[in-house]
C-alpha cells in the first residue's frame, strides 16, 4: 500500500522464524465459524488475512461442523456448537456480554489440536479473534492458551468531531475520512479501515459528526442522508460498532418547520419521535443521539426555561421504543463571563448544573462528563461530578485528540493521564469509589455506563499526524477495555504491534512515550495552571491569551502571586464539591498536591511547595528541564535509525525536532513572563530574557 502506516497496529509483518510460522500454520490450518453472523464472518476473514500476511499461508474458511483437521473455531457460547459449548460452556458465567474465552485444545494422540475462540456474543468472538492475532503479531506461542476476557465498560465509544465540509474541529491529522465538500465521501474504504482499527481494540460505538452540529449536519437525521447512513452503519456493524449521531437541539426549528424546540411541546416531541422512527426503519440497531446543548452557543432547553432533564428526556422518549440511547454532555458553563467577576468559577459549572437533576433522567439517558472540570487541560483535578451523581447513568469523556497537549506536533502519551483519572478514588460511597467504577456503572449499579473519547484521526497517511499519537488511540481502546492494564504494558504492546518486537526499539520508544506527558507538562503548564495558549487555535505559548477573555479561564498572575482561589473559605468554594478527604486535601495549600496547587490556590511566588521549592523556582526549573528533556527525546529517537521503518522514522524525527524548538519557545516565554511579573531572579542564574 502506498500510504505509510495506514495499518497502524494491524501491521502484519512476515513471521521471521520458520518454526514459528509452521506452528501458526498448523494451529490455524483452517478457520471455522460456528454460526452465521456478519461479525463472525468478519472475525474469520480478519484471521485469514492476518495469517496470509504473517505466514504466507491462507487458511481455508469452513463451517465448524466441516472442520476435520486442526484449526480455529470461532463462535458464540450457547450457539449450539458442540465443540465450543462442550469445552467452554462452563465458563459462560465468567464473562460478560462482550467477553470471550480462548482455549487451545490439544488433540488426543494422532489428532490435531484446535483453538477455540468463544464469545458470549459475536462481538466477543471478534474481540477474541483480534486477541489471537495480537499474540501472533507479538510472536507468542499458541499452545496451552486459556484466556478469559471481559470488558470493564459497556459503552466503549469514539466521538468524531468531523464536519461535513471535511474539516475536523480540533483535528490535527488532516481532513475527515467521512466527509468532503458538504457530503459523505464516495469511497468509504478508509471508514472500513478505521472500523477495523477500532474494533481490534474493542470499541463498540461511534458518533460520526461533530457535537457542534452545523447547518448541513443538522439534516443527518433526515431521510436525505438515509442511503449513505445505511452504508456506513453496515460497515460499522460488521465490526461490531454501533452508529450514533450528534444532533442539533434546535432541529425542529432548523429543519422541521416548527416555531419552537421546547422539549415539553407536544409537536416538538412528535417531531423527534418521527425522526427516530425514520432512523430505526433504516438502521434497526442505530445507537442513538449525542447532544451538546446550552453549551458554547449551542441551542438547548434553557431557551424555553426548561432544564437539561426535560431536554434529554424528550429525546429519550423518542428513542426508547427502539432501544436507543441519549448521550447528553455535561460541558455546560457560562462562556460569556466577565473576567472582572471573581465569584463565578467555570470549574464549578457542571456540578452546579447537573447534581440537582440527579434521579430525574430517563433510564436511557447517559450523562457524558469530561474528565476534568475545565476542558482537557494538561493537568486538571478529576471532575467532582464523578461522585456527585448516584441515580444517573454516566460516561466519562476523554480527549484523544491533543487539543491542549501539543496538537500532535508534540509527543504526549495520554494513557498515564487517563489512568490517573480512572484510578481516582472519589470516596463518594466510601473508600474505593473510583471513577472507573462510577463510569462503568458498577458503583451504583446503573444499567448503562462506559467511556467516550474524542478521536485523534484524520485522512492523514498515518491516521494521526504524529505516528506516535497512534499509541493514544490504541491505548484508549485497551485501557477502557481493562482499566487495570498499566500504561507501560499498553505502550509496550503498541510498540511491538506497530513497530518492532526488537527489545531495543521497545525500550527506547517506551521511554519516550512514558516520559512524554510529564515533559509536556513541565514546559507548558506549571502546578495546575492551564490555558496559557492562544485563543481559538489553542496552541501556545500565550500566557495571557485567555486572561482577559469571557471564557472563565484565568490564572490571575500579578506581581505578587498566581493561581485561582477555589477554597471554601476565601475562594469560589469549588473545593467543597469533593467528598472528604479530597475536599480538605485540596482546600489547604499545605496538603494540596503540588501539581494542582495553582488550580486551587492563589499563592505568592515565594510560597514553598511540598517539594521544598518556591513556586517561582519551580516554574524556572521545570521549564529549563522540560525544554532539555524535549530535546533529549529527539536524540533517543535518532538512536533508532535503521530499526524502524524509514518513513515513520523520518516523520517522527521531524516532529520531535519541531517539538524541541517549540519547547524552547515555551520555556523562554513562560520564564520571561514570570520573571518580569515577579521581579525574582532565577536561583541558578540561567538566561531569562
Ligand atoms: O474545549 C472545547 C473545544 C471546542 C469543543 C468543546 C466541546 C466541540 O475547544 O472545540 O467543541 O470543547 O467539548 O464541546
Amino acid at each position: 500500500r502506498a500510504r505509510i502506516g495506514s495499518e497502524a497496529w494491524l501491521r502484519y509483518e512476515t513471521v521471521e522464524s520458520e518454526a514459528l510460522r509452521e506452528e501458526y500454520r498448523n494451529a490455524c490450518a483452517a478457520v471455522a465459524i460456528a454460526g452465521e453472523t456478519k461479525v463472525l464472518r468478519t472475525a474469520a476473514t480478519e484471521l485469514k488475512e492476518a495469517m496470509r500476511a504473517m505466514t504466507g499461508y491462507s487458511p481455508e474458511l469452513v463451517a465448524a461442523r466441516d472442520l476435520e483437521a486442526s484449526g480455529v473455531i470461532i463462535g458464540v457460547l450457547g450457539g449450539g456448537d458442540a465443540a465450543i459449548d462442550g469445552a467452554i460452556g462452563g465458563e459462560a458465567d465468567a464473562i460478560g456480554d462482550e467477553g470471550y474465552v480462548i482455549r487451545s485444545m490439544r488433540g488426543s494422540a494422532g489428532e490435531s489440536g484446535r483453538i477455540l475462540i468463544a464469545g458470549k456474543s459475536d462481538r466477543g468472538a471478534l474481540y477474541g479473534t483480534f486477541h489471537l492475532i495480537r499474540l501472533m503479531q507479538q510472536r507468542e506461542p499458541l499452545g496451552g492458551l486459556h484466556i478469559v476476557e471481559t470488558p470493564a465498560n459497556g459503552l466503549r465509544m469514539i466521538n468524531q468531531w468531523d464536519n461535513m465540509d471535511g474539516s475536523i474541529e480540533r483535528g490535527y491529522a488532516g481532513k475527515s475520512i467521512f466527509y468532503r465538500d458538504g457530503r459523505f465521501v464516495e469511497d468509504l474504504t478508509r471508514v472500513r479501515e478505521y472500523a477495523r482499527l477500532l474494533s481490534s481494540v474493542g470499541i463498540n460505538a461511534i458518533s460520526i459528526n461533530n457535537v457542534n452540529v452545523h447547518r448541513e449536519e443538522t439534516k443527518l437525521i433526515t431521510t436525505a442522508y438515509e442511503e449513505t447512513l445505511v452504508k456506513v452503519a453496515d460497515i460499522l456493524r460488521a465490526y461490531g460498532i454501533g452508529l450514533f449521531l450528534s444532533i442539533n437541539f434546535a432541529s425542529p426549528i432548523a429543519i422541521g418547520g416548527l416555531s419552537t424546540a421546547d422539549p415539553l411541546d407536544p409537536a416538538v416531541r412528535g417531531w423527534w419521535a418521527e425522526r427516530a422512527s425514520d432512523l430505526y426503519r433504516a438502521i434497526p440497531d442505530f445507537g442513538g443521539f449525542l447532544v451538546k446543548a446550552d453549551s458554547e452557543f449551542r441551542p438547548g432547553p434553557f431557551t424555553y426555561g426548561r432544564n437539561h432533564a426535560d431536554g434529554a428526556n424528550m429525546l429519550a422518549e423518542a428513542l426508547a421504543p427502539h432501544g436507543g440511547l441519549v448521550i447528553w454532555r455535561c460541558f455546560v458553563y457560562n462562556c460569556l463571563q466577565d473576567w472582572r467577576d471573581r465569584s463565578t468559577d467555570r470549574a464549578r459549572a457542571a456540578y452546579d448544573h447537573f447534581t440537582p437533576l440527579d434521579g430525574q433522567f430517563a433510564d436511557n439517558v447517559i450523562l457524558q462528563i469530561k474528565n476534568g472540570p475545565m476542558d482537557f487541560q494538561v493537568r486538571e483535578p478529576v471532575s467532582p461530578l464523578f461522585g456527585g451523581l448516584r441515580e444517573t447513568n454516566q460516561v466519562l469523556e476523554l480527549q484523544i485528540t491533543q487539543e491542549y497537549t501539543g496538537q500532535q506536533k508534540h509527543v504526549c502519551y495520554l494513557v498515564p493521564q487517563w489512568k490517573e483519572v480512572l484510578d481516582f478514588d472519589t470516596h463518594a460511597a466510601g473508600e474505593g469509589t473510583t471513577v472507573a467504577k462510577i463510569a462503568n456503572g458498577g458503583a451504583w449499579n446503573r444499567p448503562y455506563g462506559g467511556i467516550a473519547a474524542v478521536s485523534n484521526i484524520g485522512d492523514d497517511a498515518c491516521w494521526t499526524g504524529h505516528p506516535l499519537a497512534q499509541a493514544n488511540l490504541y491505548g484508549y481502546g485497551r485501557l477502557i477495555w481493562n482499566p487495570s492494564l498499566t500504561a507501560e504494558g499498553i505502550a509496550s504492546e503498541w510498540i511491538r504491534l506497530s513497530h518492532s518486537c526488537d527489545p531495543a526499539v521497545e525500550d527506547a520508544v517506551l521511554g519516550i512515550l512514558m516520559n512524554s506527558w510529564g515533559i509536556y507538562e513541565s514546559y507548558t503548564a506549571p502546578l495546575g495552571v492551564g490555558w496559557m495558549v492562544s485563543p481559538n487555535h489553542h496552541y501556545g505559548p500565550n500566557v495571557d491569551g485567555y486572561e482577559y477573555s469571557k471564557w472563565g479561564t484565568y490564572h490571575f498572575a500579578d506581581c505578587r502571586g498566581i493561581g485561582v482561589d477555589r477554597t471554601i473559605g476565601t475562594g469560589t468554594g469549588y473545593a467543597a464539591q469533593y467528598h472528604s478527604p479530597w475536599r480538605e486535601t485540596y482546600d489547604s495549600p499545605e496538603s494540596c498536591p503540588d501539581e494542582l496547587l495553582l488550580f486551587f490556590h492563589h499563592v505568592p511566588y515565594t510560597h514553598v511547595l511540598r517539594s521544598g521549592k518556591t513556586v517561582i523556582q519551580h516554574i524556572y526549573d521545570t521549564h529549563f528541564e522540560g525544554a532539555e528533556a524535549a530535546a533529549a527525546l529527539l536524540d533517543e529517537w535518532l538512536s533508532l535509525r535503521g530499526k524502524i521503518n524509514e518513513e515513520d522514522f523520518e516523520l517522527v524525527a521531524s516532529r520531535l525536532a519541531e517539538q524541541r524548538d517549540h519547547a524552547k519557545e515555551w520555556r523562554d516565554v513562560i520564564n520571561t513572563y514570570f520573571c518580569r511579573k515577579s521581579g525574582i531572579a532565577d536561583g541558578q542564574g540561567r538566561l531569562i530574557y
Side-chain angles (χ1 to χ4, degrees):
R1 252 182 252 145
R3 283 184 181 134
I4 58 161
S6 66
E7 305 94 341
W9 54 86
L10 297 180
R11 172 174 158 275
Y12 301 148
E13 294 283 291
T14 308
V15 174
E16 305 74 12
S17 133
E18 173 58 34
L20 197 57
R21 272 203 311 272
E22 200 50 36
E23 186 195 326
Y24 291 173
R25 280 186 202 143
N26 284 335
C28 307
V31 176
I33 52 179
E36 180 59 57
T37 76
K38 268 217 177 105
V39 173
L40 288 176
R41 279 256 135 219
T42 304
T45 317
E46 285 292 333
L47 181 55
K48 182 183 160 98
E49 263 307 297
M51 277 294 294
R52 192 193 51 72
M54 286 192 277
T55 70
Y57 166 76
S58 192
E60 202 190 339
L61 299 188
V62 297
R65 59 180 173 283
D66 299 331
L67 182 67
E68 281 163 4
S70 64
V72 180
I73 304 182
I74 304 171
V76 176
L77 279 169
D81 182 73
I84 285 192
D85 289 331
I88 299 178
E91 293 176 272
D93 293 342
I95 54 174
D97 278 353
E98 296 181 335
Y100 56 85
V101 177
I102 305 178
R103 281 190 76 161
S104 330
M105 312 294 290
R106 212 166 331 137
S108 51
E111 243 180 68
S112 329
R114 298 266 159 100
I115 294 177
L116 306 179
I117 303 176
K120 195 72 164 271
S121 59
D122 55 5
R123 275 187 187 173
L126 177 59
Y127 302 139
T129 304
F130 276 120
H131 190 140
L132 186 73
I133 294 173
R134 270 203 300 276
L135 294 179
M136 292 193 276
Q137 283 177 284
Q138 297 175 82
R139 313 308 188 227
E140 300 280 343
L142 302 184
L145 296 179
H146 189 181
I147 296 164
V148 182
E149 284 277 333
T150 260
N153 290 287
L155 199 66
R156 302 179 301 280
M157 186 167 190
I158 283 285
N159 295 169
Q160 296 297 135
W161 282 359
D162 295 31
N163 301 315
M164 292 188 78
D165 65 4
S167 64
I168 303 176
E169 184 150 349
R170 310 309 173 188
Y172 310 104
K175 297 222 166 246
S176 173
I177 61 166
F178 291 90
Y179 318 101
R180 185 57 53 90
D181 302 329
R183 53 176 99 97
F184 276 93
V185 295
E186 291 280 314
D187 178 1
L188 294 167
T189 310
R190 204 87 201 264
V191 172
R192 184 174 170 279
E193 284 181 30
Y194 188 38
R196 290 182 68 216
L197 288 176
L198 294 180
S199 127
S200 74
V201 291
I203 300 297
N204 64 1
I206 186 171
S207 57
I208 59 166
N209 63 305
N210 188 358
V211 289
N212 290 324
V213 184
H214 307 296
R215 210 184 153 98
E216 193 58 29
E217 293 82 351
T218 299
K219 298 184 204 152
L220 280 171
I221 55 171
T222 67
T223 47
Y225 284 104
E226 189 177 300
E227 218 184 297
T228 321
L229 279 181
V230 166
K231 279 191 210 154
V232 172
D234 281 348
I235 292 174
L236 297 171
R237 182 183 306 111
Y239 283 92
I241 301 170
L243 173 68
F244 287 70
L245 290 172
S246 299
I247 60 101
N248 173 354
F249 194 81
S251 296
I253 303 172
I255 55 172
L258 301 182
S259 59
T260 176
D262 182 350
L264 300 192
D265 184 294
V268 171
R269 299 175 89 91
W271 187 86
W272 281 110
E274 272 173 41
R275 292 295 70 70
S277 297
D278 287 350
L279 278 164
Y280 280 90
R281 204 174 307 117
I283 307 169
D285 56 354
F286 179 69
F289 296 147
L290 173 62
V291 195
K292 173 174 180 176
D294 290 316
S295 165
E296 298 184 331
F297 311 110
R298 305 314 302 158
F302 287 166
T303 309
Y304 310 97
R306 314 298 183 195
N307 67 30
H308 280 230
D310 298 328
N313 291 345
M314 170 207 42
L315 296 171
E317 179 187 87
L319 294 170
H322 315 282
L325 299 173
V326 176
I327 305 180
W328 188 274
R329 296 176 84 232
C330 295
F331 186 56
V332 179
Y333 67 97
N334 176 6
C335 62
L336 291 173
Q337 195 181 321
D338 184 343
W339 58 267
R340 299 164 194 85
D341 164 20
R342 296 284 284 255
S343 64
T344 304
D345 180 5
R346 169 166 164 181
R348 293 186 57 118
Y351 183 101
D352 286 344
H353 279 297
F354 286 93
T355 48
L357 302 177
D358 193 20
Q360 295 180 33
F361 291 93
D363 284 346
N364 59 330
V365 173
I366 307 177
L367 295 188
Q368 181 162 310
I369 306 168
K370 287 191 182 184
N371 61 272
M374 298 297 280
D375 190 14
F376 303 134
Q377 298 302 292
V378 184
R379 173 77 64 176
E380 286 187 44
V382 166
S383 170
L385 197 46
F386 291 108
L389 299 167
R390 284 166 186 249
E391 295 172 77
T392 305
N393 304 318
Q394 299 159 59
V395 300
L396 164 67
E397 178 176 328
L398 301 170
Q399 195 184 43
I400 309 173
T401 194
Q402 291 171 237
E403 179 176 0
Y404 296 96
T405 50
Q407 304 201 347
Q408 281 140 255
K409 293 192 166 102
H410 298 234
V411 56
C412 192
Y413 178 54
L414 290 165
V415 175
Q417 185 201 52
W418 302 333
K419 221 180 141 57
E420 274 188 25
V421 173
L422 288 165
D423 289 347
F424 181 77
D425 187 351
T426 66
H427 288 265
E431 212 177 315
T433 323
T434 58
V435 171
K437 276 193 198 156
I438 295 174
N440 77 17
W444 328 116
N445 265 318
R446 300 299 315 167
Y448 295 106
I451 304 186
V454 185
S455 180
N456 64 347
I457 67 108
D459 71 349
D460 191 279
C462 83
W463 291 101
T464 51
H466 197 313
L468 296 180
Q470 286 176 7
N472 284 329
L473 184 60
Y474 180 83
Y476 168 70
R478 299 289 290 128
L479 181 69
I480 70 171
W481 177 277
N482 179 2
S484 67
L485 294 176
T486 65
E488 291 93 329
I490 292 173
S492 284
E493 198 178 76
W494 176 79
I495 297 163
R496 293 196 291 264
L497 302 184
S498 314
H499 292 287
S500 166
C501 294
D502 174 353
V505 173
E506 186 176 324
D507 271 8
V509 181
L510 187 62
I512 292 173
L513 290 176
M514 287 308 295
N515 292 324
S516 59
W517 175 40
I519 292 173
Y520 192 78
E521 179 176 24
S522 70
Y523 60 79
T524 57
L527 304 167
V529 169
W531 303 104
M532 297 196 295
V533 295
S534 294
N536 305 319
H537 62 67
H538 294 170
Y539 205 54
N542 185 347
V543 183
D544 284 337
Y546 271 100
E547 197 53 21
Y548 305 100
S549 76
K550 56 190 190 299
W551 295 94
T553 46
Y554 317 111
H555 53 64
F556 298 127
D558 60 19
C559 66
R560 284 178 298 273
I562 176 173
V564 189
D565 185 353
R566 295 190 159 107
T567 61
I568 300 165
T570 56
T572 66
Y574 167 77
Q577 293 183 343
Y578 291 89
H579 296 273
S580 293
W582 289 114
R583 161 199 314 240
E584 295 77 20
T585 303
Y586 289 144
D587 201 48
S588 145
E590 269 64 58
S591 53
C592 183
D594 284 348
E595 69 271 14
L596 288 172
L597 183 74
L598 303 181
F599 194 95
F600 284 95
H601 300 276
H602 185 91
V603 298
Y605 293 110
T606 51
H607 174 88
V608 178
L609 296 167
R610 292 158 66 83
S611 70
K613 281 187 189 174
T614 61
V615 165
I616 191 71
Q617 196 56 44
H618 175 96
I619 293 177
Y620 296 149
D621 289 353
T622 49
H623 284 78
F624 281 114
E625 287 157 14
E628 241 170 71
L633 291 177
L634 176 61
D635 297 336
E636 271 167 65
W637 182 261
L638 292 178
S639 75
L640 295 174
R641 189 184 294 279
K643 295 186 173 144
I644 289 225
N645 102 48
E646 191 61 25
E647 282 135 317
D648 279 336
F649 179 82
E650 292 300 339
L651 191 49
V652 173
S654 74
R655 299 257 158 164
L656 286 173
E658 197 178 338
Q659 175 173 0
R660 173 200 56 200
D661 296 344
H662 195 218
K664 269 191 224 155
E665 187 67 10
W666 270 98
R667 174 195 70 193
D668 292 338
V669 170
I670 302 279
N671 282 346
T672 302
Y673 178 98
F674 286 105
C675 186
R676 289 181 188 172
K677 273 262 148 135
S678 69
I680 301 173
D682 170 33
Q684 294 190 46
R686 288 163 292 196
L687 183 59
I688 294 179
Y689 295 86

